[in-house]
Amino acid sequence: MASSNFSRFEDSIQRLVEGGFARLFAGRLHPREVAVGLARAMEDYSLLTDSGDQIAPDTYLVLLHPSDQHALLAANSRLASTLAEELVEMARGAGLELAQPPSVRLLANDRVAEHSVIVRALHAAAKSDTTQALSHNGSAYPDSAAPEAALIVDDRHIPISRPLINLGRHRDNDIILESGQVSRHHAQIRLRFGRYVVFDLGSRAGTTVNGVSIKEMPLKSGDVIGLASHRVIYVEEPASLTDEDDEDHTRPYDDSLYQSED
């Protein structure tokens, strides 16, 4: 995906927040948080074919606290289909193709904090004859081109073994930081164009790199990421890691998040 397409996601988010999108959530969810979650899921799980086509996910799982899910569906029974329509426009604006019209499922899960949202995406329509040589992130680089990197968190070496790492206080994060100053979903590290980039997720205390406040920043070896009182060091020195350090301490995604709708 060309870098200009990422700014188009921001344009789509702003359009949604300023439009009637905000009224869909009846004050229970922040509309920008939902819009950002959908855009990031579309970006992070997009696929690149060997012919150069960018394919957006066609299935989106919107995970909500049970009370939020019940209230939102009671207030608007067409919420899922309305979100799906917005995803079509978002994909078109970012120059992504869809294998089939997208579907959205609003799922109740008590591990999601009240008034929060988690969005996952997948390619339900993908078939072996159309998904050869696919790579995540819409990146022009295959996964093998990603730097062999790690995070140093509380004296632990944590290898980065996937294209997306979530950091925060909530238990659904890949790296959990136990501090009241850290937001539930504080920051995210994502693979973009063969480089890891750190993003602040609208956290209360903010995110810094080498002491400078950032919204997003490409990382280089030795950078110190500040999340409230926590310091996380990003390194690209795999040769220095011992066999013990090579163990993946990041938490795998929990399949229990994907519960059935009520």
Side-chain angles (χ1 to χ4, degrees):
M1 188 186 303
S3 59
S4 62
N5 288 336
F6 293 116
S7 64
R8 294 177 188 174
F9 276 119
E10 293 299 321
D11 293 340
S12 295
I13 291 168
Q14 191 63 30
R15 175 182 59 80
L16 290 175
V17 172
E18 293 177 350
F21 187 76
R23 293 193 295 272
L24 297 175
F25 306 107
R28 295 194 70 89
L29 299 179
H30 195 291
R32 182 173 179 82
E33 184 177 358
V34 178
V36 168
L38 291 170
R40 283 180 173 156
M42 179 175 285
E43 174 189 332
D44 292 333
Y45 294 95
S46 64
L47 299 174
L48 175 69
T49 69
D50 53 2
S51 61
D53 294 327
Q54 302 284 349
I55 310 297
D58 53 63
T59 301
Y60 295 78
L61 309 178
V62 179
L63 311 179
L64 303 163
H65 187 274
S67 64
D68 289 330
Q69 188 232 26
H70 178 77
L72 289 173
L73 290 178
N76 185 354
S77 62
R78 294 194 67 256
L79 178 58
S81 60
T82 301
L83 292 177
E85 293 167 3
E86 296 291 355
L87 285 166
V88 172
E89 294 302 318
M90 191 177 291
R92 181 179 295 117
L96 299 175
E97 296 184 17
L98 286 160
Q100 65 180 13
S103 65
V104 175
R105 298 178 62 194
L106 303 175
L107 308 180
N109 190 283
D110 57 13
R111 292 184 59 202
V112 180
E114 195 170 5
H115 308 315
S116 294
V117 61
I118 298 172
V119 182
R120 301 286 189 253
L122 53 94
H123 291 259
K127 294 181 173 60
S128 60
D129 59 345
T130 59
T131 57
Q132 296 177 351
L134 297 177
S135 62
H136 286 287
N137 306 318
S139 170
Y141 295 84
D143 289 341
S144 60
E148 293 185 53
L151 301 174
I152 300 176
V153 183
D154 299 329
D155 297 322
R156 291 182 300 145
H157 284 277
I158 303 178
I160 300 178
S161 59
R162 54 179 70 98
L164 186 153
I165 300 291
N166 290 299
L167 304 93
R169 190 178 76 247
H170 198 275
R171 304 302 298 180
D172 64 6
N173 288 286
D174 301 296
I175 296 177
I176 300 167
L177 301 172
E178 303 282 0
S179 170
Q181 295 178 313
V182 174
S183 295
R184 291 192 302 270
H185 303 102
H186 196 110
Q188 188 177 80
I189 295 174
R190 284 186 278 161
L191 181 63
R192 267 191 177 183
F193 301 102
R195 295 187 65 182
Y196 285 109
V197 181
V198 62
F199 296 81
D200 181 76
L201 300 180
S203 64
R204 182 175 63 254
T207 300
T208 64
V209 174
N210 302 326
V212 178
S213 180
I214 59 96
K215 292 299 182 184
E216 64 177 84
M217 176 71 70
L219 293 169
K220 62 182 184 298
S221 188
D223 280 346
V224 178
I225 305 168
L227 301 95
S229 59
H230 286 268
R231 296 294 177 265
V232 176
I233 303 173
Y234 173 82
V235 293
E236 294 180 9
E237 298 175 344
S240 68
L241 303 182
T242 66
D243 291 340
E244 180 180 353
D245 291 329
D246 282 339
E247 179 184 355
D248 185 2
H249 293 279
T250 55
R251 298 175 65 253
Y253 291 128
D254 189 343
D255 289 340
S256 66
L257 286 173
Y258 304 102
Q259 295 180 356
S260 300
E261 295 170 89
D262 287 349

mmCIF file of all heavy atoms in Angstrom, residues 20-46:
data_model
loop_
_atom_site.group_PDB
_atom_site.id
_atom_site.type_symbol
_atom_site.label_atom_id
_atom_site.label_comp_id
_atom_site.label_asym_id
_atom_site.label_seq_id
_atom_site.Cartn_x
_atom_site.Cartn_y
_atom_site.Cartn_z
ATOM 1 N N GLY A 20 -22.670 11.523 10.599
ATOM 2 C CA GLY A 20 -23.690 10.883 11.415
ATOM 3 C C GLY A 20 -23.197 9.642 12.136
ATOM 4 O O GLY A 20 -23.930 9.066 12.953
ATOM 5 N N PHE A 21 -21.962 9.244 11.857
ATOM 6 C CA PHE A 21 -21.381 8.057 12.482
ATOM 7 C C PHE A 21 -21.445 8.133 14.005
ATOM 8 O O PHE A 21 -21.711 7.144 14.686
ATOM 9 C CB PHE A 21 -19.930 7.951 12.013
ATOM 10 C CG PHE A 21 -19.200 6.702 12.417
ATOM 11 C CD1 PHE A 21 -19.425 5.496 11.779
ATOM 12 C CD2 PHE A 21 -18.250 6.751 13.419
ATOM 13 C CE1 PHE A 21 -18.725 4.358 12.140
ATOM 14 C CE2 PHE A 21 -17.543 5.619 13.790
ATOM 15 C CZ PHE A 21 -17.785 4.420 13.148
ATOM 16 N N ALA A 22 -21.221 9.322 14.553
ATOM 17 C CA ALA A 22 -21.171 9.480 16.010
ATOM 18 C C ALA A 22 -22.493 9.096 16.668
ATOM 19 O O ALA A 22 -22.509 8.577 17.787
ATOM 20 C CB ALA A 22 -20.804 10.917 16.365
ATOM 21 N N ARG A 23 -23.602 9.330 15.980
ATOM 22 C CA ARG A 23 -24.909 9.053 16.581
ATOM 23 C C ARG A 23 -25.203 7.570 16.696
ATOM 24 O O ARG A 23 -26.137 7.166 17.396
ATOM 25 C CB ARG A 23 -26.001 9.741 15.752
ATOM 26 C CG ARG A 23 -25.938 11.263 15.817
ATOM 27 C CD ARG A 23 -27.210 11.881 15.253
ATOM 28 N NE ARG A 23 -27.356 11.596 13.832
ATOM 29 C CZ ARG A 23 -26.841 12.360 12.863
ATOM 30 N NH1 ARG A 23 -26.150 13.434 13.176
ATOM 31 N NH2 ARG A 23 -27.029 12.051 11.593
ATOM 32 N N LEU A 24 -24.423 6.739 16.021
ATOM 33 C CA LEU A 24 -24.684 5.297 16.039
ATOM 34 C C LEU A 24 -24.438 4.670 17.404
ATOM 35 O O LEU A 24 -24.976 3.604 17.703
ATOM 36 C CB LEU A 24 -23.794 4.581 15.004
ATOM 37 C CG LEU A 24 -23.998 4.935 13.537
ATOM 38 C CD1 LEU A 24 -22.949 4.237 12.689
ATOM 39 C CD2 LEU A 24 -25.396 4.542 13.079
ATOM 40 N N PHE A 25 -23.642 5.322 18.239
ATOM 41 C CA PHE A 25 -23.170 4.658 19.445
ATOM 42 C C PHE A 25 -23.819 5.172 20.729
ATOM 43 O O PHE A 25 -23.427 4.760 21.819
ATOM 44 C CB PHE A 25 -21.644 4.763 19.528
ATOM 45 C CG PHE A 25 -21.000 4.237 18.278
ATOM 46 C CD1 PHE A 25 -20.438 5.115 17.358
ATOM 47 C CD2 PHE A 25 -20.992 2.888 17.983
ATOM 48 C CE1 PHE A 25 -19.873 4.646 16.182
ATOM 49 C CE2 PHE A 25 -20.442 2.413 16.808
ATOM 50 C CZ PHE A 25 -19.875 3.293 15.913
ATOM 51 N N ALA A 26 -24.784 6.030 20.595
ATOM 52 C CA ALA A 26 -25.649 6.432 21.708
ATOM 53 C C ALA A 26 -24.864 6.824 22.957
ATOM 54 O O ALA A 26 -25.303 6.592 24.077
ATOM 55 C CB ALA A 26 -26.625 5.290 22.039
ATOM 56 N N GLY A 27 -23.707 7.409 22.767
ATOM 57 C CA GLY A 27 -22.919 7.854 23.905
ATOM 58 C C GLY A 27 -22.191 6.760 24.657
ATOM 59 O O GLY A 27 -21.485 7.040 25.628
ATOM 60 N N ARG A 28 -22.320 5.507 24.219
ATOM 61 C CA ARG A 28 -21.687 4.405 24.954
ATOM 62 C C ARG A 28 -20.240 4.174 24.510
ATOM 63 O O ARG A 28 -19.403 3.752 25.302
ATOM 64 C CB ARG A 28 -22.487 3.111 24.779
ATOM 65 C CG ARG A 28 -23.877 3.165 25.387
ATOM 66 C CD ARG A 28 -24.477 1.782 25.476
ATOM 67 N NE ARG A 28 -23.818 0.956 26.481
ATOM 68 C CZ ARG A 28 -24.163 0.889 27.761
ATOM 69 N NH1 ARG A 28 -25.175 1.638 28.203
ATOM 70 N NH2 ARG A 28 -23.532 0.098 28.597
ATOM 71 N N LEU A 29 -19.959 4.424 23.239
ATOM 72 C CA LEU A 29 -18.607 4.257 22.717
ATOM 73 C C LEU A 29 -18.168 5.568 22.081
ATOM 74 O O LEU A 29 -18.982 6.291 21.503
ATOM 75 C CB LEU A 29 -18.549 3.147 21.663
ATOM 76 C CG LEU A 29 -18.924 1.738 22.084
ATOM 77 C CD1 LEU A 29 -18.812 0.802 20.880
ATOM 78 C CD2 LEU A 29 -18.046 1.241 23.211
ATOM 79 N N HIS A 30 -16.872 5.831 22.149
ATOM 80 C CA HIS A 30 -16.354 7.030 21.491
ATOM 81 C C HIS A 30 -16.244 6.732 19.994
ATOM 82 O O HIS A 30 -15.571 5.777 19.596
ATOM 83 C CB HIS A 30 -14.983 7.392 22.045
ATOM 84 C CG HIS A 30 -14.545 8.770 21.685
ATOM 85 N ND1 HIS A 30 -14.209 9.123 20.388
ATOM 86 C CD2 HIS A 30 -14.410 9.899 22.430
ATOM 87 C CE1 HIS A 30 -13.875 10.397 20.360
ATOM 88 N NE2 HIS A 30 -13.986 10.899 21.573
ATOM 89 N N PRO A 31 -16.903 7.512 19.148
ATOM 90 C CA PRO A 31 -16.919 7.193 17.712
ATOM 91 C C PRO A 31 -15.537 7.146 17.087
ATOM 92 O O PRO A 31 -15.280 6.329 16.201
ATOM 93 C CB PRO A 31 -17.782 8.305 17.100
ATOM 94 C CG PRO A 31 -17.821 9.386 18.131
ATOM 95 C CD PRO A 31 -17.719 8.697 19.452
ATOM 96 N N ARG A 32 -14.614 8.002 17.542
ATOM 97 C CA ARG A 32 -13.267 7.966 16.953
ATOM 98 C C ARG A 32 -12.565 6.655 17.295
ATOM 99 O O ARG A 32 -11.851 6.093 16.460
ATOM 100 C CB ARG A 32 -12.440 9.151 17.426
ATOM 101 C CG ARG A 32 -11.047 9.150 16.784
ATOM 102 C CD ARG A 32 -10.245 10.401 17.092
ATOM 103 N NE ARG A 32 -8.916 10.320 16.474
ATOM 104 C CZ ARG A 32 -8.667 10.616 15.217
ATOM 105 N NH1 ARG A 32 -9.636 11.048 14.431
ATOM 106 N NH2 ARG A 32 -7.447 10.491 14.717
ATOM 107 N N GLU A 33 -12.759 6.153 18.519
ATOM 108 C CA GLU A 33 -12.132 4.891 18.892
ATOM 109 C C GLU A 33 -12.614 3.756 17.991
ATOM 110 O O GLU A 33 -11.835 2.902 17.575
ATOM 111 C CB GLU A 33 -12.428 4.561 20.356
ATOM 112 C CG GLU A 33 -11.724 3.304 20.848
ATOM 113 C CD GLU A 33 -11.964 3.034 22.313
ATOM 114 O OE1 GLU A 33 -12.651 3.839 22.976
ATOM 115 O OE2 GLU A 33 -11.463 2.001 22.800
ATOM 116 N N VAL A 34 -13.919 3.750 17.670
ATOM 117 C CA VAL A 34 -14.458 2.720 16.780
ATOM 118 C C VAL A 34 -13.890 2.887 15.372
ATOM 119 O O VAL A 34 -13.462 1.913 14.738
ATOM 120 C CB VAL A 34 -15.995 2.774 16.747
ATOM 121 C CG1 VAL A 34 -16.538 1.722 15.784
ATOM 122 C CG2 VAL A 34 -16.574 2.557 18.137
ATOM 123 N N ALA A 35 -13.890 4.114 14.875
ATOM 124 C CA ALA A 35 -13.393 4.370 13.523
ATOM 125 C C ALA A 35 -11.916 3.995 13.400
ATOM 126 O O ALA A 35 -11.499 3.380 12.416
ATOM 127 C CB ALA A 35 -13.605 5.842 13.154
ATOM 128 N N VAL A 36 -11.113 4.359 14.396
ATOM 129 C CA VAL A 36 -9.687 4.015 14.375
ATOM 130 C C VAL A 36 -9.508 2.501 14.431
ATOM 131 O O VAL A 36 -8.662 1.932 13.726
ATOM 132 C CB VAL A 36 -8.947 4.694 15.545
ATOM 133 C CG1 VAL A 36 -7.545 4.118 15.714
ATOM 134 C CG2 VAL A 36 -8.862 6.199 15.323
ATOM 135 N N GLY A 37 -10.309 1.830 15.263
ATOM 136 C CA GLY A 37 -10.215 0.378 15.359
ATOM 137 C C GLY A 37 -10.510 -0.310 14.038
ATOM 138 O O GLY A 37 -9.801 -1.245 13.633
ATOM 139 N N LEU A 38 -11.540 0.149 13.336
ATOM 140 C CA LEU A 38 -11.875 -0.435 12.031
ATOM 141 C C LEU A 38 -10.788 -0.160 11.004
ATOM 142 O O LEU A 38 -10.399 -1.054 10.239
ATOM 143 C CB LEU A 38 -13.217 0.131 11.550
ATOM 144 C CG LEU A 38 -14.460 -0.300 12.330
ATOM 145 C CD1 LEU A 38 -15.666 0.523 11.891
ATOM 146 C CD2 LEU A 38 -14.741 -1.791 12.143
ATOM 147 N N ALA A 39 -10.275 1.081 10.980
ATOM 148 C CA ALA A 39 -9.241 1.437 10.004
ATOM 149 C C ALA A 39 -7.970 0.647 10.248
ATOM 150 O O ALA A 39 -7.340 0.150 9.307
ATOM 151 C CB ALA A 39 -8.963 2.935 10.066
ATOM 152 N N ARG A 40 -7.577 0.506 11.501
ATOM 153 C CA ARG A 40 -6.347 -0.218 11.798
ATOM 154 C C ARG A 40 -6.494 -1.706 11.504
ATOM 155 O O ARG A 40 -5.547 -2.356 11.047
ATOM 156 C CB ARG A 40 -5.946 0.013 13.252
ATOM 157 C CG ARG A 40 -5.319 1.392 13.439
ATOM 158 C CD ARG A 40 -4.917 1.666 14.857
ATOM 159 N NE ARG A 40 -4.178 2.933 14.922
ATOM 160 C CZ ARG A 40 -4.079 3.680 16.005
ATOM 161 N NH1 ARG A 40 -4.660 3.312 17.119
ATOM 162 N NH2 ARG A 40 -3.387 4.805 15.981
ATOM 163 N N ALA A 41 -7.676 -2.262 11.766
ATOM 164 C CA ALA A 41 -7.884 -3.670 11.436
ATOM 165 C C ALA A 41 -7.810 -3.873 9.927
ATOM 166 O O ALA A 41 -7.218 -4.850 9.448
ATOM 167 C CB ALA A 41 -9.232 -4.139 11.978
ATOM 168 N N MET A 42 -8.393 -2.951 9.169
ATOM 169 C CA MET A 42 -8.338 -3.051 7.712
ATOM 170 C C MET A 42 -6.895 -2.949 7.229
ATOM 171 O O MET A 42 -6.454 -3.707 6.351
ATOM 172 C CB MET A 42 -9.191 -1.950 7.075
ATOM 173 C CG MET A 42 -9.180 -1.972 5.547
ATOM 174 S SD MET A 42 -10.315 -0.745 4.834
ATOM 175 C CE MET A 42 -11.899 -1.539 5.144
ATOM 176 N N GLU A 43 -6.136 -2.031 7.814
ATOM 177 C CA GLU A 43 -4.735 -1.846 7.418
ATOM 178 C C GLU A 43 -3.874 -3.031 7.837
ATOM 179 O O GLU A 43 -3.111 -3.586 7.041
ATOM 180 C CB GLU A 43 -4.205 -0.571 8.058
ATOM 181 C CG GLU A 43 -2.717 -0.341 7.839
ATOM 182 C CD GLU A 43 -2.196 0.813 8.683
ATOM 183 O OE1 GLU A 43 -2.972 1.729 8.995
ATOM 184 O OE2 GLU A 43 -1.011 0.777 9.025
ATOM 185 N N ASP A 44 -3.989 -3.435 9.100
ATOM 186 C CA ASP A 44 -3.094 -4.454 9.645
ATOM 187 C C ASP A 44 -3.316 -5.829 9.031
ATOM 188 O O ASP A 44 -2.379 -6.624 8.937
ATOM 189 C CB ASP A 44 -3.263 -4.555 11.161
ATOM 190 C CG ASP A 44 -2.770 -3.306 11.875
ATOM 191 O OD1 ASP A 44 -1.888 -2.626 11.324
ATOM 192 O OD2 ASP A 44 -3.273 -3.010 12.970
ATOM 193 N N TYR A 45 -4.548 -6.123 8.626
ATOM 194 C CA TYR A 45 -4.854 -7.452 8.112
ATOM 195 C C TYR A 45 -5.065 -7.454 6.598
ATOM 196 O O TYR A 45 -5.550 -8.438 6.039
ATOM 197 C CB TYR A 45 -6.076 -8.027 8.829
ATOM 198 C CG TYR A 45 -5.807 -8.280 10.294
ATOM 199 C CD1 TYR A 45 -6.134 -7.331 11.254
ATOM 200 C CD2 TYR A 45 -5.203 -9.457 10.719
ATOM 201 C CE1 TYR A 45 -5.874 -7.545 12.601
ATOM 202 C CE2 TYR A 45 -4.940 -9.682 12.056
ATOM 203 C CZ TYR A 45 -5.276 -8.720 12.990
ATOM 204 O OH TYR A 45 -5.006 -8.938 14.330
ATOM 205 N N SER A 46 -4.710 -6.355 5.939
ATOM 206 C CA SER A 46 -4.781 -6.353 4.482
ATOM 207 C C SER A 46 -3.695 -7.259 3.923
ATOM 208 O O SER A 46 -2.689 -7.539 4.578
ATOM 209 C CB SER A 46 -4.642 -4.932 3.929
ATOM 210 O OG SER A 46 -3.365 -4.410 4.233
#
